[in-house]
């Protein structure tokens, strides 16, 4: 930042699940914003370890780590100029089980590009790339 302050970096990992031109999003309990499912790393977890743990906690399915593929890494401020910067490393992966909201998640939804305004700035960057690649309707 120009005034010498350093923004906090929030390092996250997200699961990109697209079906029929729509991307899976989740709204945590007590929040009014939807996010790409995933979360923050704990300790020395790798991206894939974090992803597997977070998705099981949020959506009650088991990701298959051997199928994980990096889609991209995005960074954006999480609000005004003095807000933290969120870095989101995104992966696709197959899963086993039935998708269901856990006790952490209030609502699960499948979004099209038109729903982009309902997600945070860093998620919007992913939406832009997916629509440009013809993957998001």
């Amino acid at each position: 930042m120009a005034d010498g302050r350093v923004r906090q970096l929030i390092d996250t990992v997200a699961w990109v699940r697209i079906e029929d031109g729509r991307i899976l999003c989740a709204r945590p309990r007590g929040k009014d914003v939807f996010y790409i499912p995933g979360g923050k790393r704990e300790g020395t977890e790798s991206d894939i370890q974090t992803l597997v743990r977070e998705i099981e906690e949020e959506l009650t399915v088991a990701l298959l780590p051997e199928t994980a593929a990096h889609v991209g890494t995005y960074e954006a401020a999480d609000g005004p100029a003095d807000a933290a910067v969120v870095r989101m490393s995104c992966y696709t992966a197959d899963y086993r089980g039935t998708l269901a909201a856990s006790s952490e998640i209030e609502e699960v939804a499948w979004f099209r590009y038109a729903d982009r305004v309902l997600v945070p700035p860093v998620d919007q960057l992913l939406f832009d790339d997916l629509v440009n690649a013809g993957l998001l309707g």
Side-chain angles (χ1 to χ4, degrees):
M1 299 182 77
D3 63 6
R5 289 183 291 163
V6 176
R7 288 185 180 185
Q8 174 190 5
L9 177 66
I10 301 171
D11 186 26
T12 66
V13 180
W15 182 40
V16 177
R17 183 68 188 181
I18 300 171
E19 294 182 11
D20 301 320
R22 299 175 303 155
I23 188 169
L24 181 64
C25 293
R27 184 173 59 82
R29 291 203 183 283
K31 305 259 182 170
D32 58 358
V33 172
F34 282 86
Y35 298 89
I36 305 300
K40 297 177 198 165
R41 170 180 341 271
E42 289 183 358
T44 60
E45 283 180 327
S46 70
D47 282 2
I48 302 305
Q49 290 169 329
T50 302
L51 191 66
V52 167
R53 177 184 51 75
E54 284 287 345
I55 298 309
E56 186 172 6
E57 288 174 3
E58 293 180 0
L59 300 172
T60 72
V61 295
L63 292 186
L64 305 175
E66 66 278 9
T67 67
H70 186 251
V71 173
T73 299
Y74 303 88
E75 285 189 13
D78 192 31
D82 60 347
V85 171
V86 177
R87 176 185 298 143
M88 183 173 72
S89 298
C90 300
Y91 294 84
T92 58
D94 294 334
Y95 69 95
R96 187 177 56 245
T98 302
L99 285 171
S102 73
S103 60
E104 293 181 11
I105 302 298
E106 183 77 31
E107 183 179 2
V108 174
W110 292 91
F111 282 4
R112 295 195 177 281
Y113 188 73
D115 302 308
R116 179 183 181 275
V117 298
L118 301 174
V119 299
V122 71
D123 295 41
Q124 291 178 11
L125 297 174
L126 170 64
F127 272 51
D128 293 344
D129 275 0
L130 293 173
V131 79
N132 290 335
L135 299 172
L136 195 59

